[in-house]
Amino acid sequence: MKFFTSEDSGKAISEKNNVSVHLCAHTIEKPFSCSICNKHFSQKRYLMNHYRIHANEKSFSCDICNKQFTKKTNLNTHCRTHTSEKPYSCDICNKHFSQKSDLNRHYHTHTGKKPYSCDTCNQQFSQKSALNMHYRTHTNEKPHSCDVCYKKFSKKGDLTRHYLVHTDEKPYSCDVCNKQFSRKYGLKLHLRTHTNEKPYSCDVCYKKFSKKGALTRHYLVHTDEKPYSCDVCNKTFSRKFGLKLHLRTHTTEKPHSCDVCKKEFFLKSSLITHSRTHRNEKPYSCDLCNKQFSLKNTLTKHYRVHTNEKPYSCDVCNKKFSYKSALSKHFLTHTNEKPYSCDVCDKKFSYKSNLYVRSRTHSNEKPFSCDTCGRKFSRKDVFKAHVRIHSNEKPFSCGVCSKTFSQKRSLNAHFHIHTNEKPYSCDVCSKQFTLKAYLNTHCRTHTSEKPFACVVCNQQFSQKGSLKKHFLTHTNEKPHSCDICYKQFSKKSDLTRHYRVHTNEKPYSCDLCNKQFSRKHFLNEHLRTHTNEKPYSCDICGKKFSQKSSFNTHYIHFHSNAVEKPYPCDVCNKQFTTKANLTTHCRTHTNEKPFSCDVCNKQFSQKSSLKKHCLTHTNEKPYSCGICSKAFSRKYGLNLHFRTHTDEKPYSCDLCQKQFTQKNFLNVHLRTHTKEKPYLCNVCGKEFSQQSSLSRHFHTHAIEKP
């Protein structure tokens, strides 16, 4: 057989008449034209085959399934689907293919060759079919239409998959969990959740992904490329889908609606997530604590509670965060940017969520309601924290000491105990705090700001917690009860301290003398015996005191004119600083004694007097001196004793300036100036200035004291 050789490519051709046909491949000449659609072809046989498309002629039929084809080559290729024959093999990776065209396209994955280029945007493709489909993104051509809903598609494969929406057919099933899918590709991706396979790797940071699309989007992190721009506000996006969603913020379009409550959403995924709230469906479960979640993303974030992973780092201060949203919010602390403004009060906020919460204070809207106690809340995070009070759930655990907390902020605050970190500092006095909330509260001591007002008596407070505690004085509510003695308290902290009376627990210890205390306040007061610190100073005379109680006593007795006493007694016109003191005083006129001892039935006008009396039965002396360890049944006795160590004498005589540690000593001394003798002997009528002198005098009559 004689062969002819092409001068351009060197290819050997068996027949001479085929040389001219082959040359058309180099010249791109297409001399044969279709009279119906004017499409051009390089060979006549291609034109003849093309005419069968218009005539709908399918001369070649499959013997197995009777499917018909216009070309014999298409029939031959089809028959391999029955025989599973793959005669074309890759020389590099030995992968087999049923069609030669598939093998040629596969070769491009090894060579990286993309011979087909778009004339409009210069994007390159490894397959001509991919280029043809890409052209439709420029022409917006959608030649494939659904017969049911008439929706149009640019790819036939998209139409085929769309039909499954109407039939609800899911032919592909997972062998592990039996989950079904409408697309084989969806099943393939799903299987990677079981195998944890991540075949796509980033060349820059070597991070791996289970989906190629996820890798493509990840590359934009390194290139910082955002090719999609909003025509309205010029905001740029790395993904076209992101731009599409963003445009809805301008058009306020919410195309996805809930069938149950008719709520509308921007995203279909948001609708799917929302629908789970009606079904109470939580398909994602934590392997460590069995907590369930409605979103996979929420489960992923939850795992960081156990691992303490913080993958997001601040470029300015290197602080790390578990969530990207937390990092974004943190950045605003450096820029001090507050782009969101309230329309009612013009207050500005760094976060949009804070603006929403603020608007509820004006509208008094509280959309979150507790199913257990019916209490309503304006903020979701506060509502969630409240629900844990009923469930006693504490999902946040300290990695150092394993202590658990119901709120994450409590865990963060607790962690500073181990690190001794105090990141928040006061600009006025440089005092440092572990929490920003503590700093904000402290700043009010400098500004004297009291933003929280009682709706009953209009008394103002610097802290919201103080207002809540004060409000219980109006309602007389005591929701916290002791399980041992059933005593009730208005504050949970008071109940916690009360329990230590039963357990004799003293968790606070002095580092200098190892003495232990049941309350931190007692430890702080004790430490001043070592440091000789006197933090309480009188604004009038400048005298300093180590204890606040000593300061209050000094202020009332020596500067009483400076103290406002708005509550007068109707009987004797004596005035008092508080209503409670007035109520107690009135019992001296009525002789009312509402408090009774359970042991001896002795009655008292004041509850504090009853408490002191009860100690005479138990012989309990809970107040101990930090210096000499002497114990007292009353705190007042300890305070008086403490002055023997500090040499403090807060009571002074106005006539001779002599000073005394106790007020009754001053009163006795004043009688030396006034010559007053209030104590009278019933036997002989002799008068005395002190009761002790009268008691000694009675012995001269050899009778008992009446």
Side-chain angles (χ1 to χ4, degrees):
M1 183 182 290
K2 187 176 181 181
F3 288 90
F4 299 90
T5 304
S6 170
E7 296 178 357
D8 295 318
S9 62
K11 186 174 182 180
I13 302 169
S14 60
E15 297 182 14
K16 189 173 183 179
N17 61 341
N18 288 339
V19 175
S20 58
V21 174
H22 171 75
L23 288 174
C24 292
H26 297 292
T27 60
I28 320 180
E29 182 183 356
K30 295 181 179 180
F32 304 99
S33 176
C34 174
S35 58
I36 298 174
C37 65
N38 203 30
K39 192 172 184 179
H40 292 74
F41 299 89
S42 59
Q43 298 182 40
K44 189 174 182 179
R45 63 190 175 101
Y46 294 160
L47 174 61
M48 299 307 293
N49 290 334
H50 170 75
Y51 270 128
R52 290 177 187 148
I53 298 174
H54 296 296
N56 200 23
E57 180 186 350
K58 295 182 179 180
S59 309
F60 305 98
S61 177
C62 176
D63 297 332
I64 299 174
C65 65
N66 296 321
K67 192 172 183 180
Q68 294 178 319
F69 300 89
T70 56
K71 301 178 184 179
K72 189 175 183 179
T73 55
N74 292 346
L75 172 61
N76 294 335
T77 301
H78 166 76
C79 286
R80 292 179 190 137
T81 61
H82 298 296
T83 62
S84 299
E85 181 187 2
K86 295 182 179 180
Y88 303 101
S89 176
C90 175
D91 300 333
I92 300 172
C93 65
N94 204 31
K95 192 173 182 179
H96 291 74
F97 299 89
S98 58
Q99 300 183 47
K100 191 174 182 179
S101 59
D102 292 339
L103 173 61
N104 292 334
R105 287 193 291 269
H106 169 76
Y107 271 127
H108 294 154
T109 62
H110 295 297
T111 61
K113 185 179 178 183
K114 294 182 179 180
Y116 304 100
S117 178
C118 175
D119 299 332
T120 306
C121 64
N122 294 322
Q123 190 172 345
Q124 293 177 318
F125 300 88
S126 58
Q127 301 178 36
K128 190 174 182 180
S129 59
L131 173 62
N132 291 336
M133 284 189 283
H134 168 76
Y135 272 130
R136 290 172 186 158
T137 61
H138 298 296
T139 61
N140 201 24
E141 181 187 0
K142 295 181 179 180
H144 307 285
S145 178
C146 174
D147 299 333
V148 180
C149 64
Y150 306 107
K151 190 173 182 179
K152 293 183 178 182
F153 300 88
S154 58
K155 301 176 187 178
K156 190 175 182 179
D158 292 340
L159 174 61
T160 304
R161 287 189 291 270
H162 168 75
Y163 272 126
L164 298 175
V165 175
H166 299 295
T167 62
D168 200 26
E169 182 184 358
K170 293 181 179 181
Y172 304 100
S173 177
C174 174
D175 296 331
V176 180
C177 64
N178 295 322
K179 191 172 182 180
Q180 293 178 315
F181 299 87
S182 57
R183 296 171 59 186
K184 190 175 182 179
Y185 179 70
L187 172 61
K188 183 179 178 181
L189 294 180
H190 167 76
L191 286 173
R192 290 175 184 156
T193 62
H194 298 296
T195 61
N196 201 26
E197 181 189 2
K198 295 181 179 180
Y200 304 101
S201 178
C202 174
D203 299 332
V204 181
C205 64
Y206 305 107
K207 190 174 182 180
K208 293 183 178 182
F209 300 88
S210 58
K211 300 178 184 178
K212 190 175 182 180
L215 173 61
T216 304
R217 291 191 292 270
H218 169 76
Y219 271 126
L220 299 174
V221 176
H222 299 295
T223 61
D224 201 26
E225 181 184 358
K226 294 182 179 179
Y228 303 99
S229 177
C230 174
D231 297 331
V232 180
C233 64
N234 296 322
K235 190 174 183 179
T236 54
F237 299 86
S238 57
R239 296 171 58 190
K240 189 175 182 179
F241 180 69
L243 171 62
K244 182 180 178 181
L245 296 181
H246 167 76
L247 287 172
R248 289 176 184 160
T249 61
H250 297 297
T251 62
T252 64
E253 179 189 4
K254 293 182 179 180
H256 307 285
S257 176
C258 175
D259 296 332
V260 179
C261 63
K262 308 302 179 185
K263 191 174 182 179
E264 295 178 334
F265 299 89
F266 287 112
L267 303 175
K268 189 176 182 179
S269 58
S270 301
L271 172 61
I272 293 172
T273 302
H274 166 78
S275 63
R276 291 176 185 150
T277 61
H278 296 297
R279 301 192 301 267
N280 198 26
E281 180 184 355
K282 293 181 178 181
Y284 304 101
S285 177
C286 174
D287 299 332
L288 300 173
C289 65
N290 295 322
K291 190 173 182 181
Q292 293 178 316
F293 301 90
S294 57
L295 284 174
K296 189 177 182 180
N297 184 39
T298 310
L299 172 62
T300 304
K301 292 178 180 177
H302 166 77
Y303 271 125
R304 293 176 188 150
V305 175
H306 300 294
T307 62
N308 202 26
E309 181 188 3
K310 296 181 179 181
Y312 304 101
S313 178
C314 174
D315 297 332
V316 180
C317 64
N318 294 322
K319 191 173 182 180
K320 294 183 178 181
F321 300 87
S322 304
Y323 311 123
K324 191 175 182 179
S325 58
L327 173 60
S328 301
K329 292 177 180 178
H330 168 76
F331 266 127
L332 298 174
T333 61
H334 296 297
T335 60
N336 201 25
E337 181 184 357
K338 294 183 178 180
Y340 304 101
S341 178
C342 177
D343 296 332
V344 180
C345 62
D346 294 325
K347 191 172 183 179
K348 294 184 178 181
F349 300 90
S350 303
Y351 317 129
K352 195 173 184 178
S353 58
N354 289 351
L355 174 60
Y356 284 142
V357 173
R358 177 68 179 181
S359 63
R360 289 174 188 150
T361 61
H362 298 299
S363 62
N364 201 26
E365 180 188 1
K366 293 182 178 180
F368 306 103
S369 178
C370 177
D371 296 333
T372 306
C373 64
R375 190 175 173 185
K376 294 184 178 181
F377 301 87
S378 59
R379 290 172 55 183
K380 191 174 183 179
D381 58 332
V382 178
F383 164 66
K384 284 184 175 180
H386 167 79
V387 169
R388 294 184 189 126
I389 296 174
H390 299 297
S391 64
N392 201 27
E393 180 188 2
K394 295 181 178 182
F396 305 101
S397 176
C398 175
V400 180
C401 64
S402 301
K403 190 174 182 180
T404 55
F405 300 88
S406 59
Q407 299 184 47
K408 190 176 181 182
R409 63 177 180 177
S410 300
L411 171 61
N412 293 336
H414 164 79
F415 207 72
H416 294 315
I417 297 173
H418 299 296
T419 61
N420 202 25
E421 181 187 2
K422 294 182 179 180
Y424 304 99
S425 178
C426 175
D427 296 332
V428 179
C429 64
S430 301
K431 191 173 182 179
Q432 293 177 316
F433 300 88
T434 55
L435 288 177
K436 191 175 182 181
Y438 294 164
L439 172 62
N440 293 337
T441 301
H442 166 78
C443 286
R444 293 179 190 137
T445 61
H446 298 296
T447 61
S448 298
E449 182 187 1
K450 294 182 178 180
F452 306 101
C454 175
V455 293
V456 179
C457 64
N458 293 323
Q459 189 172 344
Q460 292 178 316
F461 300 88
S462 58
Q463 299 181 43
K464 193 174 183 178
S466 301
L467 172 61
K468 286 182 177 179
K469 293 171 186 175
H470 164 79
F471 202 74
L472 297 174
T473 61
H474 296 296
T475 61
N476 201 26
E477 182 184 359
K478 293 181 179 181
H480 307 285
S481 177
C482 175
D483 300 331
I484 300 172
C485 64
Y486 305 107
K487 189 174 182 180
Q488 292 179 316
F489 299 88
S490 57
K491 296 182 254 181
K492 191 175 181 179
S493 58
D494 291 341
L495 173 61
T496 304
R497 287 193 292 268
H498 167 77
Y499 271 127
R500 294 176 187 148
V501 175
H502 299 295
T503 62
N504 200 28
E505 180 188 3
K506 295 181 179 181
Y508 304 100
S509 177
C510 175
D511 296 332
L512 299 173
C513 64
N514 296 322
K515 189 170 183 182
Q516 294 177 316
F517 300 88
S518 59
R519 294 174 63 178
K520 192 175 182 180
H521 173 67
F522 295 159
L523 171 61
N524 292 334
E525 287 188 344
H526 165 77
L527 288 172
R528 292 176 192 139
T529 63
H530 298 295
T531 61
N532 201 26
E533 181 188 3
K534 295 183 178 181
Y536 303 101
S537 177
C538 178
D539 296 333
I540 299 174
C541 64
K543 194 170 185 179
K544 293 183 178 181
F545 301 88
S546 59
Q547 298 182 46
K548 192 173 183 180
S549 58
S550 300
F551 165 69
N552 291 337
T553 301
H554 164 82
Y555 199 81
I556 291 172
H557 289 291
F558 295 101
H559 309 294
S560 57
N561 293 332
V563 180
E564 184 182 358
K565 296 181 179 179
Y567 303 98
C569 175
D570 296 332
V571 179
C572 63
N573 294 323
K574 191 174 182 179
Q575 294 177 313
F576 298 88
T577 54
T578 64
K579 192 174 183 179
N581 290 345
L582 171 62
T583 303
T584 301
H585 164 77
C586 287
R587 292 176 188 146
T588 61
H589 298 297
T590 62
N591 202 26
E592 180 187 2
K593 294 181 179 181
F595 304 101
S596 177
C597 174
D598 296 332
V599 179
C600 64
N601 295 321
K602 190 174 182 180
Q603 292 178 317
F604 299 89
S605 59
Q606 299 183 45
K607 193 175 183 179
S608 58
S609 301
L610 171 62
K611 285 182 178 180
K612 294 168 189 174
H613 165 79
C614 286
L615 296 175
T616 61
H617 296 296
T618 62
N619 202 26
E620 183 184 358
K621 295 182 178 182
Y623 304 100
S624 177
C625 176
I627 298 175
C628 66
S629 300
K630 189 174 182 180
F632 298 87
S633 58
R634 295 169 58 187
K635 190 177 180 181
Y636 177 70
L638 173 62
N639 291 337
L640 294 181
H641 165 79
F642 206 71
R643 291 172 187 156
T644 62
H645 296 296
T646 60
D647 201 29
E648 181 182 356
K649 295 180 179 180
Y651 304 99
S652 176
C653 176
D654 295 334
L655 299 174
C656 65
Q657 309 303 322
K658 190 174 182 179
Q659 293 177 318
F660 301 89
T661 56
Q662 298 182 39
K663 189 181 180 182
N664 60 330
F665 293 167
L666 173 62
N667 292 336
V668 171
H669 166 77
L670 287 173
R671 292 175 193 143
T672 61
H673 297 294
T674 61
K675 306 299 181 183
E676 182 186 1
K677 295 181 179 181
Y679 301 101
L680 179 68
C681 176
N682 295 329
V683 178
C684 63
K686 192 174 182 179
E687 294 178 338
F688 299 89
S689 60
Q690 300 182 43
Q691 188 165 347
S692 60
S693 301
L694 174 61
S695 298
R696 286 193 299 270
H697 167 76
F698 266 124
H699 294 297
T700 62
H701 296 293
I703 62 171
E704 292 185 0
K705 179 182 174 182

